[in-house]
Amino acid sequence: MANTHIQKLLKQAQQLLAKKQYLAAADLYEQIYLQEPTFEMERQWVQALHLAHHNQKILTVLKNSWPQYLNKPADTKLLLEGLIAKHDFIAAYQVLLQINWHNPPQKVKLRQLINTRQLAFARTNVKYQQELQNQVLSVLTLSLDEQVDLIAQLHQLSLQEFLRMSKLLLTNPYLHPLIKAGVTEDLVKLKISTKMEINFYGKISHFEPQRYPLIADLNAVKNMQALLTNYQHLSEDNKQAISGELNLYAAMLYPYTDDIILEPQLWVDLTLQHFGFEKTVQTLEKDAKAGKVDMWLSKLGELLSLFN
């Protein structure tokens, strides 16, 4: 570290830590990080925030660097402290399944930490958690925005209760597919190995979450996004808009996206046609596959309009 100014700030921060003036030290580490945004500087900033009991700010600091906190037990614990401070216990469980280090006793300790904090939260928020569960039972009386908020709040439940609520949501025939996709992806991240039941567009199906990729890792998503780059005549803004639309379609078909989007080129072409960027109707109107894709696009477009 050649910068003498940064060296001076770093020494001051270390002195403040020694004096247990953690918040002041965190402020200095933030100044250092803004001038030298390395992972080591960020980690020391996060450590100082943790010591100052400003755990809720931790997630804001490291929201774009989560993977780097999965390589060492101490770093993972910092990430978990941030999640636990926001009472996001389900995300904390998911983090433990993503770690890159091997230390079974330490992993047990971290799981116990999550369990203990969740239990303490449950004991002091009995009425609130009961209200959450009641809202799941009457979820269709909520607006779509309120339903999205509810799914996020369910992360405050125990793992057992979260799974129970998830089963109720997935089997609800009228719950919006995007809401179901969020619940489904949470189960995939938790690597649930038991078969789950889902009402998928009016048909009861079963799936084993641990056997499915995340939405961003679906073959259909990767293929459609790659194909979209070939349309040089589209502006970057238009490409981004279509890209977002294709991602939403993929999510609304989750977890069976790859079983349905078997012709990614056709999906891209017809999506562009739906938005007026391509005129392929003459060549595709007699194609049975195109007709099926067009049916899906109409259905998904109609469902997406509910969020507008």
Side-chain angles (χ1 to χ4, degrees):
M1 190 183 300
N3 192 315
T4 55
H5 176 64
I6 290 179
Q7 287 181 333
K8 183 179 179 180
L9 290 178
L10 185 58
K11 186 176 181 180
Q12 290 175 356
Q14 292 168 341
Q15 290 172 343
L16 289 170
L17 284 179
K19 295 176 183 178
K20 297 185 178 181
Q21 296 179 24
Y22 301 126
L23 189 55
D27 289 340
L28 277 183
Y29 279 122
E30 181 176 5
Q31 291 181 42
I32 297 169
Y33 176 77
L34 292 174
Q35 297 176 62
E36 188 173 293
T38 64
F39 173 67
E40 181 56 33
M41 286 300 102
E42 179 185 287
R43 194 207 174 284
Q44 292 188 63
W45 178 17
V46 169
Q47 179 67 48
L49 286 170
H50 174 54
L51 291 170
H53 302 292
H54 275 225
N55 289 313
Q56 291 208 17
K57 188 176 179 180
I58 288 177
L59 291 185
T60 303
V61 175
L62 53 79
K63 64 181 179 181
N64 295 320
S65 53
W66 277 35
Q68 297 181 80
Y69 288 83
L70 303 176
N71 298 322
K72 296 179 181 179
D75 293 349
T76 301
K77 186 174 185 295
L78 284 177
L79 172 55
L80 292 178
E81 289 289 358
L83 291 167
I84 290 171
K86 283 187 168 291
H87 309 128
D88 195 337
F89 304 108
I90 297 304
Y93 287 122
Q94 292 169 346
V95 163
L96 278 189
L97 295 168
Q98 299 169 13
I99 56 175
N100 299 320
W101 47 268
H102 183 70
N103 186 329
Q106 187 62 36
K107 187 175 180 180
V108 169
K109 286 183 180 179
L110 292 181
R111 180 170 283 273
Q112 289 174 341
L113 171 67
I114 302 169
N115 290 341
T116 300
R117 300 281 187 88
Q118 197 287 320
L119 185 58
F121 178 78
R123 285 173 175 166
T124 56
N125 294 274
V126 175
K127 185 176 180 181
Y128 168 68
Q129 294 209 333
Q130 185 59 55
E131 287 175 354
L132 287 181
Q133 295 172 29
N134 289 338
Q135 284 183 315
V136 169
L137 296 174
S138 57
V139 64
L140 297 178
T141 65
L142 304 175
S143 69
L144 286 174
D145 286 342
E146 289 171 333
Q147 290 178 29
V148 172
D149 289 340
L150 173 61
I151 301 306
Q153 290 172 317
L154 292 181
H155 276 215
Q156 300 173 8
L157 299 174
S158 68
L159 184 56
Q160 182 180 8
E161 277 302 301
F162 179 79
L163 291 178
R164 190 167 74 86
M165 294 299 102
S166 295
K167 290 177 182 178
L168 292 174
L169 291 166
L170 291 182
T171 54
N172 188 320
Y174 304 109
L175 193 66
H176 196 285
L178 278 180
I179 306 292
K180 283 187 180 178
V183 176
T184 301
E185 192 164 48
D186 267 333
L187 297 174
V188 171
K189 290 178 182 178
L190 288 168
K191 299 184 179 180
I192 301 301
S193 58
T194 56
K195 282 192 175 182
M196 303 287 292
E197 190 174 87
I198 183 172
N199 190 306
F200 187 76
Y201 291 94
K203 180 181 178 181
I204 298 297
S205 300
H206 296 83
F207 72 103
E208 190 177 321
Q210 70 170 1
R211 300 173 69 89
Y212 287 80
L214 299 177
I215 294 172
D217 296 329
L218 290 164
N219 288 329
V221 170
K222 294 177 181 177
N223 291 335
M224 289 191 297
Q225 295 299 335
L227 289 167
L228 187 59
T229 62
N230 296 329
Y231 294 82
Q232 302 297 328
H233 62 286
L234 293 177
S235 69
E236 284 304 312
D237 286 344
N238 287 336
K239 279 186 181 179
Q240 287 185 13
I242 297 299
S243 173
E245 199 74 11
L246 292 171
N247 286 341
L248 287 173
Y249 294 159
M252 293 173 75
L253 297 172
Y254 197 59
Y256 304 115
T257 312
D258 283 341
D259 298 326
I260 294 173
I261 302 182
L262 298 173
E263 303 282 345
Q265 183 68 69
L266 199 51
W267 278 77
V268 173
D269 285 340
L270 284 173
T271 298
L272 289 169
Q273 178 181 306
H274 271 240
F275 283 85
F277 294 117
E278 295 288 317
K279 295 182 179 180
T280 56
V281 65
Q282 295 300 320
T283 58
L284 295 175
E285 62 183 359
K286 295 181 180 180
D287 190 326
K289 291 179 180 178
K292 192 170 184 179
V293 173
D294 197 61
M295 178 196 70
W296 272 116
L297 290 178
S298 296
K299 182 193 292 282
L300 300 178
E302 185 178 328
L303 287 166
L304 279 175
S305 68
L306 298 177
F307 270 98
N308 297 328

